[in-house]
Each structure stands twice: as C-alpha cells, then as structure tokens.
Amino acid sequence: MEGKETLRIAMWSPPRARSTMAMRVFEALGCAVLDEPFYAYWLKATQREEDPGYAATLAAHETDWRKVEASLLGPVPGGKAVWYQKHMAIHMLPEVSLAWMGKVRNCFLIRDPAEVITSMTEFRGLAHDVEEGARLVGIPQLARIFDEAWALEGQAPLVIDANDLLADPPGVLSRFCAAVGMPFEPATPITWAPGKHEGDGAWADAWYQKVYQTTGLEPYTRRKTVVPKALEAVVARCQPTYERMAAHRL
C-alpha cells in the first residue's frame, strides 16, 4: 500500500528510552519496522569507533544520509499499511535536512533523563562536560526535532512516555492508534519471539541483549535510579526538555 494510504510513523527518541521495546510492540501490531536508519551515517560522520557494533554497522548499512532520507519515503517493506520508523535524535547532525519530516507522522518516545543517562553509561562513556553529555544522549537534538515537528503540524506532536506504555499498554496504545488512524484491538495480547528479529540493525547483538530476553511487555515496576554524581548536572540539563515534552504525553 503506497501514497496516501501508507502511514509512515517516525518515532523519535533519545537512546535507552525503551525504543527497541516500542519497535517490538509495533512490529507485533503488524507494522513494517525500520531500526535507526541514520545510525551508520552518524557513526561514520563522528568516527565513534568505540561504539559497540561500529564495524558491523558500517559494513551492513547505508552511510549516505541523503540516500537514507530517500529510502524513508520510498517503498514500504512488504507493502504494509503502516511503516514504523525508529529514529534516534542524536543521529541528526546539523548537516542533515529535516525537510522529509513533512511527509511522515512525527511522534516522540521519552523517558526520565535519570533513567536514560544511567542506562547509557553501560554502553557509551558520557562526557562530564554538561553540554557534551547532553548531546551524547541526544536531548538538545530531540528538542530541535520536537520544535520542527510542532511547526509542521501546527500543534504539539504525539508523545509517549515509555514508562506510561509499560504501566498501561492498552490505554496508551488505544489513544496513540486512534490519534494516528491505526487500528488497534486492546484485548489482543502483544507478544513477540525472543532473540534477534529480522528488522534489527547490525548493532543489535551489542545493544539489545535485554530485549532479546523478552517476549512481551513486562509489568512496570518503578525502581530508584541512582545517578553517578559526576553526571547529575547532565541530568539537570536534560530535565527541562523532558518535562516540556512530558506535558503533552498521552
């Protein structure tokens, strides 16, 4: 299904915002899914050789952002009616055009910055410089993209808090799907196969081991997050952006 009948959802988030879990959910709902299409471009442009899966990602994925952009508006895998595109805001360097955002439905997945930052320390060293630390979790970039989406739509974009999704999957998904015009049956269990999925990026083995162990949404249990003292200022820098977006969450 193409053209006006195709719903392309660009779901923007910072890393470690349960974004792979959300991708699994929409895959289970019958959507075509796309995993972080600009990641290989970003790795090459920033030369972050220390990132897990660096070599495998560059070998397997497109590194020209213009070609990636064109693909996002091209044929939908399997001809499905909904194409869920998982995007990391950090990957959108200033040289990357955001003009294509006007041809997709831009939505946002957020998570408490304290949880995002403490989770990220397991995978990527975060600079203790406040601005650099915030950029390494993509919060300034996310704010820019949120503003762009708001300008395109003329109203606040759709926002999901990852913890809300875990706490009330039927409620959050019902409201989201109704807003984008996507069918959803609350009584249908949302499950998936464990392990790596066909649509996962080449970096999956390095980043998705916890998701590999899941087969569905697990009951949400709020845990106390202990932020390393050296990163407390980074969390504080990210908090206003999170709160601004959270004010519009479903």
Side-chain angles (χ1 to χ4, degrees), residues 98-114:
L98 299 180
W100 62 273
M101 287 178 57
K103 299 179 181 179
V104 298
R105 183 65 185 269
N106 297 282
C107 307
F108 293 81
L109 180 71
I110 59 174
R111 187 182 181 190
D112 184 332

Side-chain angles (χ1 to χ4, degrees), residues 33 54 92 151 179 247:
V33 297
Y54 176 87
M92 309 307 286

